[in-house]
Amino acid sequence: MQDLLRHAIRDAESQGAHDAEVFASISSESEVFIENNDIKQAKSQQLGSMGIRVLVNASLGFYSTNILTRDSVRTAATMAVKMARASPKDRFNSLPRKRKVHFLRGIYDKAAESFGSSDAAAAAADMLEAAKSYDSRVTVDSGNFTAARGTQFLASSNGIELREKLSTFSWTIMGMAIQNGDVSSFDFQSGATHFAKKIAVQKTAAEFAEAVTSSLGPRKVDSFRGEMLLTPSAADELVEEVISHSINSDAVQRRSSRFAGKIGKKVSTELLTAEDDATNTEGLGASSFDREGVPHRRNIVIEKGVLKKFLYNTYTAKKQGVSTTGNSGGSTSSPPSVSTTNFIVSPGKSSFHSLISEMKRGIIISRFSGNVNPVNGDFSGVVKGGKLVEKGSVLYPVKDVMVAGNVFEALKNLNGVSKERKVIFDSILPYMRFGNVSFTVG
Amino acid sequence: MTKDNLLQSSSSSVARGPRGADGLIDNLLSLLSSSNGTSYCEARYHSRLMTEVNFINGDMQRVRVVENAGCGIRVLVEGCWGFSSTSNIEPGALRESLAEATSSARVLAQVKKNKVKGLADSRMARGEFRLKANGNLSEVDIEQKIKITKEAEQAARKHSKLIKTASATYRELLDYKAIVNSDGGEVEIHDSKPEFSVVAVAGKTSQTATAHEGVGITGGWNDLFASKSHLDYGVEAAKRAEKLFAARHAKGEKTTIILDPGMVGLLSHEAIGHTVEADFVLSGSIVKDRIGEKVGSELVTLVDSGNSDNAENAAGTIMVDDEAVIAERTVIIENGILRSFLHSRESAMIFGVPSTGNARAFQYNDEPLIRMRNTFFEKGSDTLDEMIKETSHGYLVKGARNGQADANGEFMFGAEEAFLIENGEIKELLRGASISGNAFEVLQSIDMVGNRFKYDIGTGYCGKYQPAKVDGGGPHLRCTAVIGGLQ
């Protein structure tokens, strides 16, 4: 494989490319699907693909192919150079220099090599059984269990030659509870780890079953203004999306980030500390180097409510006159973008229960179904699996409640962060409570 | 189906076949003959060439061509599905992949409770199908695709000083498929789906308003820009963003809402379409056991079709699905009565009907799932003017944005613009808001149906494990729903 990468770089150079980079991935995946309360299908795939990025006089061309033969790679390199010649020049286009990479431990499990489709089927069956036996009213609409392992390769005309093995196990479960014609809100839960022995499908199934059964028999409430307590999943849908957009240097440079020009300023109450950290091996976003071969590191973006830094790749860093933060992201099928790796919110001091017991009147939101505008922070949508809290007690599930507001305004009313956190693929998030939120009932 | 039935393409080749894949169909057929021990076997070769160009604020943000080709093999063994895929289409690699699919199906047989009973007899397609396209995309040079994208972005940004950010995207999917199965399906499909869109953001640092303008179709280069030029898309997005910037937010209330064809497309797709997907029905969707019952106003006829009915170039047009079944026009609701769900061959067998041709896979390594195609309301007899005139208080909402729906029929989707109507007249443009309600309550509430038809969600993709190119639309509809905004 590394030979093929070297060939690709040489082909591109011989066609006239000044710089060339190849990112490739070979992986093997085994996945089992759950549908309608039963195992549905098994799927296995052998994947291999590469993406060639070339620069001709700082003009970009990019071609990706999953046909990994010498001929196909030569065509890809030729086409990429042709595209670069048709593209406008952009003086910020460049490839990073070679840097020393410290390889992470804890992202590859040798056990993944012998984890086959029968193991994946057993894990999926366990998860389904755990959800169904938790409560007979639970209906599992769908779910899956996936085991994947593979190697990523990177080579460039600047002398970078890297490779790293990764293994991941991830699972999802979604559905509802049904009782006498009453259908609960849909819920979705997931889990993920790099290690086979950390697979916890039963725990995820129980969380899902608890969420759907406890949202049966919802009642209508009147419109009110009160507190909003987001579960980690809901925080992922609402808060994570907006913050990760706003700390992205690409959005900042495109003037679509509300955080532009706010480094050193307060963007939240001091309860919020957030970081991007690919070296945290709990999250699925962990790896040793980024999409351009720059070593990954921990970047604190918001510390006690104060905005500290933005995330950069080589292109956006050059534009800004700063150094890359190792946040070049993307797959073999796109040129590098800027992306978060693992988005992590530091744990607070309160327990989840004390966050509830301090609430006067509000709603716990476990899922949010609606629109979030990451540019201006506006959100509006329907509360799913919502529960009314009054005077510190959870009263009952609610229905037809719409919530609307602005994430940036909400961060100024963040008044509680739990010490309990959940890993949601590449996010690690606590429960987050906000004051002064508008709930509308139709 | 023979070659005589095929739609004509204006160009000789819409999507090319694979490099060095002569005799591919023969190889796939010979693979089927070696599928011992399976009760059903399907081999689907799919080669896709995707081209994408994106400009943001004058910079080329992205240019790429992605080639993704390979064969997905699906088998039914002892009532269990096994699926395996490979990008290597040499006979030996295909046989290995078949063996892998077969052995994973056997593994499942030990844990799966409800075995697949079989696959419904359905209208199998045979022959070569070319989706209609005026202007072969592969003959338009990459320079031209880069140029129009750059110019449209510039047209939006230069329109006014208020436009802070603009972006333009061109994307095309050129597909060639060869599908064979052990039930007689044997088909080659050439497809071409381009799309073009511009986003403009108006406003200063703290307050912004976003507007989208775009088109996504099944067709060729000339079809894509048949109604508007690339510059028009840029200017219109900018104009709308400017207007929205100056607008107030809508107030939250349950009231009379007139939906534009894009919003009707979202209602068809998100709020109702998903609840009638047979896999969703089997999991307990709200319409389970309601075939033959009245589920909406008698003014309502809802259709999902694999063809581009009523108007040309709908983006979800497939003609044949990925199980090689002819993609029929399926009447879901006829004059308010629920008539049909959307089926694959597996679900159709359970319901004792033929497949409706809704089994679709996004790429070669995706397995076919029940997905919508072009989902729409049939038109009625009211003009939009009459609908507004007969509304004492309400909103005309335009510009479909994201949408989501639940199994219990609750839905929520975004509209870019909301026009306040008072006493039969449009009073004021308000900023986009969410529209929500229960799908079937909203269907029941429909009391006026427009007389002009349009597809308008063709730039979107539906997500259900895999993306799928879909479309939707209809006439304007008047109904009752909740409009959400800041209190």
Side-chain angles (χ1 to χ4, degrees):
Chain A
M1 187 67 187
Q2 277 156 313
D3 271 351
L4 207 56
L5 267 70
R6 283 181 209 123
H7 277 300
I9 287 167
R10 248 177 270 139
D11 286 342
E13 286 177 329
S14 72
Q15 294 290 327
H18 299 118
D19 301 280
E21 169 201 84
V22 188
F23 179 48
S25 163
I26 300 253
S27 63
S28 154
E29 236 181 78
S30 196
E31 185 169 15
V32 172
F33 296 90
I34 297 168
E35 189 178 281
N36 191 23
N37 299 310
D38 199 2
I39 301 292
K40 159 93 174 160
Q41 178 176 304
K43 175 175 175 175
S44 63
Q45 49 184 338
Q46 306 294 326
L47 296 163
S49 58
M50 64 163 58
I52 303 180
R53 174 166 62 141
V54 304
L55 299 176
V56 178
N57 288 326
S59 294
L60 172 72
F62 183 87
Y63 195 101
S64 164
T65 180
N66 73 335
I67 304 168
L68 301 180
T69 61
R70 273 297 284 123
D71 277 356
S72 162
V73 164
R74 191 176 298 118
T75 308
T78 307
M79 285 298 296
V81 172
K82 179 174 158 33
M83 289 163 75
R85 293 215 160 94
S87 298
K89 181 177 173 170
D90 184 339
R91 66 195 164 95
F92 301 115
N93 272 327
S94 68
L95 299 186
R97 64 181 164 80
K98 187 175 173 177
R99 292 170 170 87
K100 175 139 186 70
V101 173
H102 295 281
F103 284 91
L104 290 179
R105 297 172 73 91
I107 53 174
Y108 186 72
D109 183 1
K110 246 187 132 18
E113 290 165 23
S114 54
F115 197 98
S117 52
S118 58
D119 300 300
D126 269 2
M127 177 162 66
L128 178 61
E129 173 57 27
K132 296 296 286 179
S133 62
Y134 185 93
D135 192 305
S136 60
R137 295 169 297 177
V138 171
T139 275
V140 179
D141 171 65
S142 53
N144 75 327
F145 182 92
T146 307
R149 67 192 152 82
T151 310
Q152 296 193 328
F153 302 84
L154 195 105
S156 82
S157 52
N158 282 356
I160 294 176
E161 271 202 22
L162 293 165
R163 71 174 173 163
E164 180 166 57
K165 284 183 174 181
L166 289 156
S167 61
T168 59
F169 301 91
S170 58
W171 54 95
T172 63
I173 184 165
M174 62 192 94
M176 52 268 183
I178 301 174
Q179 181 177 31
N180 306 327
D182 175 21
V183 181
S184 78
S185 273
F186 210 65
D187 190 63
F188 171 92
Q189 296 289 335
S190 66
T193 174
H194 294 282
F195 279 83
K197 61 177 184 236
K198 289 192 184 167
I199 293 168
V201 289
Q202 295 181 350
K203 181 166 169 267
T204 304
E207 284 166 0
F208 158 74
E210 161 61 25
V212 291
T213 49
S214 68
S215 72
L216 278 168
R219 301 189 210 169
K220 277 219 172 192
V221 291
D222 291 328
S223 300
F224 72 103
R225 216 167 236 288
E227 285 178 292
M228 163 171 86
L229 177 53
L230 300 178
T231 62
S233 305
D236 196 40
E237 291 171 317
L238 261 180
V239 182
E240 192 275 343
E241 184 177 341
V242 175
I243 296 182
S244 60
H245 173 84
S246 306
I247 56 175
N248 186 314
S249 56
D250 190 40
V252 173
Q253 292 172 356
R254 284 192 276 120
R255 295 175 291 170
S256 82
S257 163
R258 283 273 297 265
F259 283 171
K262 294 211 173 131
I263 294 285
K265 303 247 168 72
K266 251 181 117 70
V267 293
S268 161
T269 63
E270 61 185 25
L271 293 177
L272 181 68
T273 293
E275 63 192 34
D276 181 78
D277 186 6
T279 67
N280 184 320
T281 56
E282 288 293 302
L284 274 207
S287 67
S288 305
F289 54 89
D290 77 358
R291 165 72 179 77
E292 299 174 307
V294 174
H296 271 143
R297 58 173 166 134
R298 178 176 175 224
N299 291 298
I300 295 175
V301 289
I302 296 171
E303 192 170 25
K304 293 187 175 161
V306 177
L307 184 65
K308 287 292 181 187
K309 72 162 78 151
F310 298 124
L311 304 177
Y312 294 94
N313 66 5
T314 300
Y315 176 88
T316 60
K318 190 166 178 187
K319 212 170 193 176
Q320 198 67 31
V322 297
S323 297
T324 169
T325 54
N327 283 91
S328 176
S331 69
T332 56
S333 59
S334 350
S337 58
V338 180
S339 65
T340 51
T341 58
N342 289 313
F343 181 84
I344 302 169
V345 171
S346 302
K349 294 204 171 85
S350 317
S351 68
F352 171 52
H353 287 290
S354 69
L355 287 182
I356 295 172
S357 64
E358 290 159 8
M359 278 168 85
K360 278 201 196 103
R361 187 155 200 250
I363 292 180
I364 305 173
I365 299 180
S366 59
R367 215 183 122 231
F368 168 82
S369 169
N371 287 330
V372 182
N373 182 329
V375 179
N376 63 20
D378 285 349
F379 65 91
S380 78
V382 183
V383 170
K384 297 290 173 188
K387 295 189 184 72
L388 183 69
V389 179
E390 275 184 6
K391 295 178 188 145
S393 305
V394 180
L395 296 187
Y396 45 80
V398 293
K399 66 174 173 185
D400 300 339
V401 176
M402 305 214 19
V403 61
N406 181 284
V407 172
F408 298 106
E409 295 307 313
L411 286 174
K412 291 173 187 158
N413 292 315
L414 175 68
N415 63 17
V417 173
S418 74
K419 52 188 175 193
E420 299 91 343
R421 292 191 299 175
K422 209 185 155 199
V423 177
I424 303 163
F425 301 111
D426 53 5
S427 298
I428 304 177
L429 299 168
Y431 291 86
M432 299 174 83
R433 193 185 60 200
F434 302 85
N436 199 25
V437 174
S438 150
F439 297 102
T440 317
V441 180
Chain B
M1 173 82 44
T2 68
K3 292 188 184 188
D4 299 333
N5 304 66
L6 307 182
L7 293 186
Q8 290 303 307
S9 148
S10 67
S11 56
S12 57
S13 152
V14 172
R16 73 208 166 112
R19 284 201 294 264
D22 295 339
L24 178 69
I25 287 268
D26 291 339
N27 282 349
L28 297 182
L29 286 170
S30 109
L31 181 71
L32 290 191
S33 66
S34 69
S35 59
N36 300 327
T38 66
S39 53
Y40 171 78
C41 179
E42 154 194 295
R44 177 172 44 87
Y45 173 82
H46 183 178
S47 157
R48 164 167 292 168
L49 203 59
M50 190 267 274
T51 300
E52 187 178 53
V53 183
N54 171 233
F55 274 84
I56 300 179
N57 287 351
D59 293 330
M60 188 169 72
Q61 189 75 10
R62 177 176 269 192
V63 62
R64 60 173 177 157
V65 174
V66 179
E67 180 179 39
N68 195 35
C71 190
I73 295 169
R74 197 167 62 137
V75 298
L76 201 50
V77 179
E78 297 170 39
C80 290
W81 285 116
F83 179 80
S84 173
S85 66
T86 173
S87 57
N88 186 342
I89 54 165
E90 295 296 320
L94 289 176
R95 274 196 302 276
E96 225 169 85
S97 195
L98 171 63
E100 175 65 34
T102 310
S103 76
S104 35
R106 288 221 167 86
V107 165
L108 279 207
Q110 293 155 30
V111 285
K112 187 171 164 69
K113 287 179 221 124
N114 302 308
K115 300 283 157 58
V116 177
K117 306 278 183 298
L119 305 175
D121 285 337
S122 304
R123 282 183 68 200
M124 281 296 156
R126 292 178 71 83
E128 194 173 6
F129 290 73
R130 285 178 195 277
L131 281 86
K132 212 162 123 181
N134 176 9
N136 189 341
L137 298 175
S138 59
E139 286 167 9
V140 178
D141 216 82
I142 185 78
E143 280 94 345
Q144 177 69 359
K145 291 163 188 168
I146 291 172
K147 181 171 171 274
I148 57 136
T149 312
K150 184 181 176 179
E151 288 176 355
E153 184 276 322
Q154 200 170 34
R157 192 163 31 89
K158 296 282 160 81
H159 175 73
S160 115
K161 279 194 176 144
L162 207 55
I163 304 300
K164 204 174 70 161
T165 302
S167 79
T169 307
Y170 171 83
R171 190 183 296 123
E172 68 182 35
L173 301 178
L174 280 172
D175 289 334
Y176 166 79
K177 292 180 189 178
I179 309 169
V180 301
N181 66 39
S182 54
D183 289 346
E186 188 185 321
V187 64
E188 285 182 87
I189 305 161
H190 304 262
D191 191 6
S192 163
K193 295 194 191 304
E195 62 191 74
F196 186 69
S197 61
V198 181
V199 181
V201 183
K204 300 168 195 85
T205 44
S206 59
Q207 267 300 344
T208 56
T210 306
H212 301 69
E213 191 67 32
V215 58
I217 60 165
T218 300
W221 182 262
N222 302 329
D223 299 314
L224 188 65
F225 297 110
S227 64
K228 269 191 270 191
S229 77
H230 63 285
L231 295 175
D232 293 341
Y233 285 99
V235 172
E236 283 180 26
K239 279 185 180 165
R240 180 158 347 107
E242 229 182 337
K243 281 188 199 151
L244 286 170
F245 180 71
R248 293 185 300 142
H249 282 279
K251 256 168 70 179
E253 62 175 321
K254 183 170 183 174
T255 186
T256 303
I257 309 275
I258 300 173
L259 304 170
D260 83 335
M263 296 297 288
V264 169
L266 260 196
L267 181 75
S268 314
H269 179 97
E270 293 295 346
I272 305 154
H274 282 299
T275 69
V276 297
E277 290 171 333
D279 49 351
F280 216 55
V281 173
L282 289 168
S283 304
S285 128
I286 191 162
V287 293
K288 194 177 180 176
D289 306 321
R290 294 193 65 188
I291 291 279
E293 287 181 25
K294 191 161 185 296
V295 294
S297 142
E298 57 199 30
L299 296 174
V300 169
T301 292
L302 181 77
V303 174
D304 179 76
S305 177
N307 299 315
S308 192
D309 299 342
N310 300 332
E312 299 280 322
N313 301 114
T317 307
I318 56 172
M319 294 179 78
V320 177
D321 79 359
D322 288 306
E323 293 184 321
V325 172
I326 303 281
E328 308 273 2
R329 169 188 157 92
T330 309
V331 178
I332 299 166
I333 297 170
E334 187 179 25
N335 302 327
I337 311 289
L338 184 65
R339 292 293 182 206
S340 176
F341 298 133
L342 302 176
H343 292 290
S344 62
R345 292 185 65 200
E346 179 187 351
S347 75
M349 183 76 175
I350 298 168
F351 287 85
V353 295
S355 167
T356 52
N358 283 82
R360 301 180 61 186
F362 190 61
Q363 308 209 86
Y364 80 89
N365 54 336
D366 291 316
E367 67 286 2
L369 299 175
I370 298 176
R371 309 301 300 267
M372 280 171 266
R373 303 157 305 189
N374 303 310
T375 318
F376 56 87
F377 282 80
E378 289 290 11
K379 64 186 178 191
S381 56
D382 301 307
T383 67
L384 177 58
D385 284 349
E386 284 163 359
M387 292 164 87
I388 294 168
K389 215 181 212 170
E390 289 181 30
T391 302
S392 58
H393 169 78
Y395 298 86
L396 165 62
V397 295
K398 288 185 176 179
R401 299 288 303 280
N402 298 339
Q404 288 177 42
D406 257 13
N408 57 11
E410 267 186 42
F411 72 88
M412 185 332 283
F413 42 71
E416 199 157 277
E417 300 173 282
F419 294 87
L420 176 66
I421 301 171
E422 295 289 3
N423 303 318
E425 282 176 31
I426 287 187
K427 289 292 175 199
E428 185 187 357
L429 167 66
L430 299 168
R431 279 195 190 215
S434 30
I435 303 296
S436 67
N438 182 285
F440 294 90
E441 284 169 20
V442 169
L443 272 191
Q444 206 62 257
S445 77
I446 290 173
D447 61 356
M448 292 184 92
V449 179
N451 61 359
R452 305 186 89 169
F453 184 96
K454 195 182 171 192
Y455 287 111
D456 203 16
I457 58 169
T459 53
Y461 289 78
C462 169
K464 179 174 168 184
Y465 307 110
Q466 316 158 10
K469 199 74 202 150
V470 296
D471 213 334
H476 283 88
L477 290 181
R478 194 174 82 160
C479 63
T480 304
V482 177
I483 184 163
L486 294 165
Q487 206 176 21

PDB file of all heavy atoms in Angstrom, chain A residues 129 248 311:
ATOM      1  N   GLU A 129     -32.215  -8.015  23.236  1.00  0.00           N
ATOM      2  CA  GLU A 129     -32.795  -8.782  24.340  1.00  0.00           C
ATOM      3  C   GLU A 129     -32.871  -7.928  25.611  1.00  0.00           C
ATOM      4  O   GLU A 129     -33.875  -7.919  26.321  1.00  0.00           O
ATOM      5  CB  GLU A 129     -31.936 -10.037  24.563  1.00  0.00           C
ATOM      6  CG  GLU A 129     -32.281 -10.877  25.780  1.00  0.00           C
ATOM      7  CD  GLU A 129     -33.736 -11.352  25.793  1.00  0.00           C
ATOM      8  OE1 GLU A 129     -34.314 -11.491  24.704  1.00  0.00           O
ATOM      9  OE2 GLU A 129     -34.281 -11.554  26.901  1.00  0.00           O
ATOM     10  N   ASN A 248     -14.640  26.811  14.795  1.00  0.00           N
ATOM     11  CA  ASN A 248     -13.968  26.337  13.591  1.00  0.00           C
ATOM     12  C   ASN A 248     -13.407  27.547  12.828  1.00  0.00           C
ATOM     13  O   ASN A 248     -14.149  28.444  12.430  1.00  0.00           O
ATOM     14  CB  ASN A 248     -14.998  25.580  12.747  1.00  0.00           C
ATOM     15  CG  ASN A 248     -14.402  24.905  11.545  1.00  0.00           C
ATOM     16  OD1 ASN A 248     -13.615  25.504  10.824  1.00  0.00           O
ATOM     17  ND2 ASN A 248     -14.770  23.659  11.330  1.00  0.00           N
ATOM     18  N   LEU A 311      -9.939  26.436  16.172  1.00  0.00           N
ATOM     19  CA  LEU A 311      -9.285  25.235  15.650  1.00  0.00           C
ATOM     20  C   LEU A 311      -8.886  25.447  14.190  1.00  0.00           C
ATOM     21  O   LEU A 311      -9.693  25.919  13.389  1.00  0.00           O
ATOM     22  CB  LEU A 311     -10.236  24.037  15.759  1.00  0.00           C
ATOM     23  CG  LEU A 311     -10.764  23.745  17.171  1.00  0.00           C
ATOM     24  CD1 LEU A 311     -11.752  22.585  17.129  1.00  0.00           C
ATOM     25  CD2 LEU A 311      -9.618  23.443  18.134  1.00  0.00           C
TER      26      LEU A 311
END
